[in-house]
Amino acid sequence: MGAEPALRDRFERGLEAPICLTWELTYACNLACTHCLSSSGRRDPRELSTLEAKALIDEIAAMQVFYINIGGGEPMMRRDFFEIVEHAVERKVGVKFSTNGTRIDTVAARRLASIDYLDIQVSIDGVDAKTSDQIRGEGSYDAAIRAMENLRAANFGPFKISVVMTRQNIEQLDQFEALAREFGAELRLTRLRPSGRGADVWESLHPSLEQNRRLYRWLLERPNVLTGDSFFHLSALGDPLDGLNLCGAGRVVCLIDPVGDVYACPFVIHEQFLAGNVREAGFSDVWRNSELFRSLREPGSGGACTSCGSYDACRGGCMAAKFFTGLEVSDPDPECVFGHGESALAAKVAAVRPSPSPDHSRRVGVVITSKR
């Protein structure tokens, strides 16, 4: 069931601490996924040191944030990855981390399996190498499957298989479900956002209107499939999908990037949505006192969407998806299930789209050549 209206109203005004805190540990990555939200590849030399990372965890623990989402880049490329994760667990802060799996060999899998309060999401974007490698790079699918095999052999438990829905792989929903069942894993689907390098491929990769409608029906029949509120814009079709069904940017979610910059959400890494830096006054001060976050928590107008009878179901959709496609926050979501977003985009065909920033993309592609 979706969140109760009174609870959703409370979330909309912001909480004392985020429910979901995403922390990109590093921009370094050994892949070059075409839809990468953070345009990762090259390490930023200014990234938080081990001591700074541990101090940030201590502050997060004091705020009673009960878990953090760690990502990147590829978080396991940091030499102090295990030290940071184990410090978080010692402070009773649960860790969920997303990985491409290339660093999960048998030794790493056993060490991961020994850590409590740890959840792992292994990313693939197809049920076969042909489909997934087109997005994530040659050899990446085999590397991810090998990581899953190593986690299973280490008795890690029910890790997650994380998939970004695209026009190509959305036809493989049943096969993704079967793959998760094979590994005793949970399936987690996420929405393709036009953020980072995803801005360059969104037009060709985002699912069609009909595909999104089929995805909605498929998800309704499978409440065990996780979405992390990625598809709340689809709830306008009828019964709400499980979750908050609300843009939580700066209200219940935010992002800390590798250099300590705090953004409203993981999908709006842009100076317009930069709230502050943890090195200046600490994370709690940014979360509670940032002018940007205060403004996002103020009651606002739904703009063009308020005249739609389904506004309460989708709340106008994703702010990031609108921003990076050149739409205003008051416009419909570009993937509005009734086609209003497509009409809004057509009316602004000459609009200048914001460029995601910063860009840490590698100058050359990466190929994973090791064999299973």
Side-chain angles (χ1 to χ4, degrees):
M1 295 294 291
E4 293 295 329
L7 185 59
R8 187 174 65 183
D9 290 343
R10 182 183 174 191
F11 288 162
E12 198 163 15
R13 293 191 295 269
L15 302 178
E16 282 298 302
I19 291 176
C20 178
L21 171 58
T22 297
W23 180 8
E24 309 286 33
L25 275 189
T26 183
Y27 284 124
C29 191
N30 54 353
L31 297 186
C33 302
T34 61
H35 57 23
C36 179
L37 294 169
S38 56
S39 300
S40 288
R42 292 174 288 120
R43 185 187 308 274
D44 191 314
R46 302 170 299 154
E47 68 185 27
L48 299 179
S49 68
T50 305
L51 288 178
E52 288 176 315
K54 288 183 174 181
L56 177 57
I57 289 169
D58 292 343
E59 185 178 12
I60 290 169
M63 292 175 69
Q64 298 184 317
V65 175
F66 57 92
Y67 82 88
I68 53 178
N69 285 320
I70 286 179
E74 170 50 51
M76 294 188 73
M77 291 192 71
R78 277 193 64 139
R79 294 179 179 177
D80 57 1
F81 168 78
F82 280 104
E83 186 175 353
I84 291 171
V85 169
E86 288 166 351
H87 182 75
V89 171
E90 287 170 4
R91 295 304 311 273
K92 306 302 181 186
V93 177
V95 175
K96 298 184 177 185
F97 85 92
S98 298
T99 176
N100 58 36
T102 57
R103 295 294 180 100
I104 302 182
D105 57 17
T106 55
V107 175
R110 286 195 293 269
R111 186 168 181 181
L112 291 168
S114 72
I115 302 174
D116 292 329
Y117 308 113
L118 180 65
D119 189 21
I120 299 177
Q121 296 179 170
V122 181
S123 297
I124 60 172
D125 286 315
V127 294
D128 51 64
K130 178 181 178 181
T131 307
S132 190
D133 287 2
Q134 286 181 341
I135 302 295
R136 308 188 64 84
E138 185 179 344
S140 61
Y141 176 81
D142 286 345
I145 295 296
R146 186 167 56 250
M148 296 180 204
E149 291 170 344
N150 291 336
L151 289 171
R152 180 172 57 185
N155 295 316
F156 176 85
F159 59 88
K160 293 176 175 61
I161 297 176
S162 184
V163 185
V164 177
M165 288 283 90
T166 67
R167 192 168 300 179
Q168 288 71 32
N169 68 20
I170 205 168
E171 305 300 331
Q172 301 176 332
L173 287 168
D174 291 341
Q175 294 98 309
F176 280 121
E177 187 177 33
L179 182 66
R181 191 181 305 115
E182 176 188 344
F183 281 100
E186 294 180 283
L187 179 61
R188 182 176 185 270
L189 306 183
T190 63
R191 182 183 178 186
L192 173 70
R193 261 53 170 234
S195 307
R197 286 196 294 269
D200 297 327
V201 298
W202 185 81
E203 290 284 358
S204 60
L205 288 185
H206 79 88
S208 68
L209 187 59
E210 177 54 35
Q211 285 179 321
N212 271 325
R213 289 172 175 165
R214 281 191 277 125
L215 172 62
Y216 167 77
R217 294 191 293 270
W218 193 87
L219 288 171
L220 272 186
E221 295 171 358
R222 294 165 176 81
N224 59 308
V225 174
L226 307 175
T227 66
D229 277 317
S230 285
F231 304 105
F232 68 92
H233 65 298
L234 301 183
S235 291
L237 288 169
D239 293 333
L241 296 172
D242 285 345
L244 182 59
N245 284 295
L246 168 75
C247 174
R251 300 179 175 108
V252 297
V253 304
C254 70
L255 167 88
I256 302 175
D257 86 344
V259 303
D261 283 337
V262 183
Y263 294 90
C265 90
F267 313 116
V268 285
I269 303 178
H270 187 277
E271 59 186 10
Q272 186 167 322
F273 297 97
L274 176 61
N277 187 285
V278 300
R279 281 176 165 145
E280 296 168 2
F283 173 68
S284 61
D285 182 71
V286 176
W287 177 257
R288 292 167 180 160
N289 301 314
S290 157
E291 290 186 15
L292 172 67
F293 287 175
R294 286 177 182 268
S295 67
L296 289 173
R297 294 163 188 167
E298 289 294 324
S301 168
C305 292
T306 53
S307 61
C308 175
S310 298
Y311 174 69
D312 283 343
C314 78
R315 310 295 286 184
C318 174
M319 177 179 69
K322 299 177 190 183
F323 180 73
F324 285 122
T325 52
L327 295 174
E328 303 294 332
V329 174
S330 58
D331 285 327
D333 188 290
E335 290 185 282
C336 167
V337 293
F338 302 122
H340 300 316
E342 292 180 357
S343 299
L345 285 173
K348 298 185 179 183
V349 65
V352 177
R353 298 184 179 185
S355 297
S357 58
D359 189 349
H360 294 274
S361 301
R362 290 175 176 270
R363 294 180 175 84
V364 294
V366 180
V367 177
I368 306 298
T369 56
S370 56
K371 297 182 179 179
R372 290 176 59 184

